[in-house]
Amino acid sequence: MKYSIDKKEQYVVFSPQEEKIDSLLAPALKSEILTIHAEGYPHMVLDLSEVKYVDSSGLSALLVGDREFGRNGGIFVISGIQDHVMKLLKISMLDKKLNLVSTLEEAGEAIFMHEIESGEEEEEEED
């Protein structure tokens, strides 16, 4: 699987440079997601701007990312979703479950807002 990775202070941007995430590439994507999570990054952005097709195994990889990063209070954000992929997300109703944004800038803002909201919740629990 070809990809680029951009490690920021609080999160990682992972950008597959593939047109399809199908049964051949989904295991590699899951592996990369789990590796990034294991490295201790609290948040991840998956940039799908080059991906034109995702099948059910690709959707499974997205759910793995959402579950793993959400487990420790982090956030898994998906950006740059192409029309065909968005249709599949809507049909499977995953557009309601996953954190979807249009651009990498919006992804950064979503992570920032998530951290603020998480910080407020922790303060409320301490009171």
Coordinates of all heavy atoms in Angstrom, one line a residue, residues 8 12 42 44 55 58 61 65 70 72 77-78 93 104-105:
K8 N 1.9 15.1 13.4 CA 1.9 16.4 14.1 C 2.1 16.2 15.5 O 2.3 15.0 16.0 CB 0.5 17.0 13.8 CG 0.0 17.0 12.4 CD 0.4 18.2 11.7 CE -0.3 18.3 10.3 NZ 0.4 19.2 9.5
V12 N -1.9 12.3 13.9 CA -1.2 11.9 12.6 C -2.2 12.0 11.5 O -3.4 11.7 11.6 CB -0.8 10.4 12.8 CG1 -0.3 9.8 11.5 CG2 0.3 10.3 13.9
P42 N -2.9 10.2 20.2 CA -4.3 10.2 20.7 C -5.3 10.3 19.6 O -6.5 9.9 19.8 CB -4.4 11.3 21.7 CG -3.3 12.3 21.2 CD -2.2 11.5 20.6
M44 N -6.2 10.6 15.1 CA -5.7 10.3 13.7 C -6.7 10.9 12.7 O -7.9 10.9 12.9 CB -5.6 8.8 13.5 CG -5.2 8.4 12.1 SD -4.9 6.6 12.0 CE -4.7 6.5 10.2
D55 N -14.6 -0.9 -0.4 CA -15.6 -2.0 -0.3 C -15.9 -2.2 1.2 O -15.4 -1.5 2.0 CB -15.2 -3.2 -1.1 CG -14.0 -3.9 -0.5 OD1 -13.5 -3.5 0.6 OD2 -13.5 -4.9 -1.1
G58 N -12.9 -2.3 3.4 CA -12.4 -1.0 3.6 C -13.2 -0.3 4.7 O -12.6 0.4 5.6
A61 N -12.1 -1.4 8.0 CA -10.9 -0.7 8.5 C -11.2 0.6 9.1 O -10.6 1.0 10.1 CB -9.9 -0.6 7.3
G65 N -10.4 1.9 13.1 CA -9.8 3.2 13.5 C -10.7 4.0 14.4 O -10.2 4.4 15.5
G70 N -11.2 5.9 19.7 CA -12.2 6.3 20.6 C -12.1 5.6 21.9 O -12.5 6.2 23.0
N72 N -9.6 5.3 24.0 CA -8.8 6.0 25.0 C -9.2 7.5 25.0 O -8.4 8.3 25.5 CB -7.3 5.9 24.7 CG -6.9 4.4 24.8 OD1 -7.4 3.6 25.6 ND2 -5.9 4.1 24.0
V77 N -10.8 10.9 12.6 CA -11.5 11.8 11.7 C -11.1 11.4 10.3 O -10.0 11.1 10.0 CB -11.1 13.3 11.9 CG1 -11.8 14.2 11.0 CG2 -11.3 13.7 13.4
I78 N -12.1 11.4 9.4 CA -11.9 11.0 8.0 C -12.2 12.2 7.2 O -13.3 12.9 7.3 CB -12.9 9.8 7.6 CG1 -12.6 8.6 8.5 CG2 -12.6 9.5 6.2 CD1 -13.7 7.6 8.4
M93 N -25.1 3.7 6.6 CA -25.4 4.6 7.7 C -24.2 4.9 8.6 O -24.3 5.3 9.7 CB -26.6 4.0 8.5 CG -27.8 3.9 7.7 SD -29.3 3.4 8.6 CE -29.5 4.7 9.7
L104 N -8.6 18.8 5.4 CA -7.7 18.6 6.5 C -7.8 19.7 7.5 O -7.6 19.4 8.7 CB -6.3 18.5 5.9 CG -6.0 17.2 5.2 CD1 -4.6 17.2 4.5 CD2 -6.1 16.0 6.0
E105 N -8.1 20.9 7.1 CA -8.2 22.0 8.0 C -9.4 21.7 9.0 O -9.3 22.0 10.2 CB -8.4 23.3 7.3 CG -7.2 23.9 6.5 CD -7.0 23.1 5.2 OE1 -7.9 22.5 4.6 OE2 -5.8 23.2 4.7

